[in-house]
């Protein structure tokens, strides 16, 4: 590689180092717990960064209706996301979405 190419490569690397700030590390929410209480499903994540959301799947009492889904709001780590279980359904599954 010629000295001009090396100089250009080093200049570009220096420019990137200045232009791209080194921020804090990003980690998806972790240490999440979920629970079911009084017709609601809730989630709480206590570490990491970003947001989490509880999501549930229920089966409607009328088989022709089938599956019903519901989701809680996206909330930051340390906050609780809650979703209501439909009164006309039975809870089948639930989980935590993370971003």
């Amino acid at each position: 590689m010629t000295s001009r190419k090396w100089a250009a490569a080093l200049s570009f690397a220096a420019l990137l180092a200045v232009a791209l700030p080194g921020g804090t590390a990003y980690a998806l929410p972790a240490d999440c717990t979920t629970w079911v209480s009084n017709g609601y499903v809730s989630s709480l994540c206590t570490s990491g960064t970003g947001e989490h959301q509880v999501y549930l799947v229920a089966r409607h009492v009328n088989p022709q209706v089938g599956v019903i889904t519901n989701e809680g709001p996206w909330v930051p780590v340390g906050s609780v996301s809650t979703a209501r279980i439909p009164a006309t359904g039975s809870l089948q599954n639930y989980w935590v979405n993370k971003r």
Side-chain angles (χ1 to χ4, degrees):
M1 197 177 230
T2 67
S3 60
R4 280 188 183 172
K5 288 183 181 178
W6 275 109
L10 288 174
S11 295
F12 183 71
L15 178 64
L16 281 179
V18 172
L20 298 175
T24 58
Y26 179 83
L28 286 175
D31 299 319
C32 301
T33 56
T34 56
W35 64 94
V36 179
S37 178
N38 297 323
Y40 292 88
V41 177
S42 300
S43 69
L44 172 65
C45 297
T46 57
S47 66
T49 59
E51 298 177 311
H52 68 97
Q53 169 197 59
V54 69
Y55 194 91
L56 68 86
V57 177
R59 182 152 312 274
H60 196 279
V61 293
N62 180 347
Q64 293 179 346
V65 173
V67 173
I68 306 167
T69 61
N70 198 8
E71 61 199 33
W74 285 101
V75 296
V77 169
S79 297
V80 176
S81 179
T82 301
R84 188 174 190 287
I85 302 168
T88 57
S90 61
L91 186 61
Q92 298 294 301
N93 198 4
Y94 55 91
W95 60 88
V96 178
N97 295 322
K98 303 172 187 179
R99 66 177 183 190

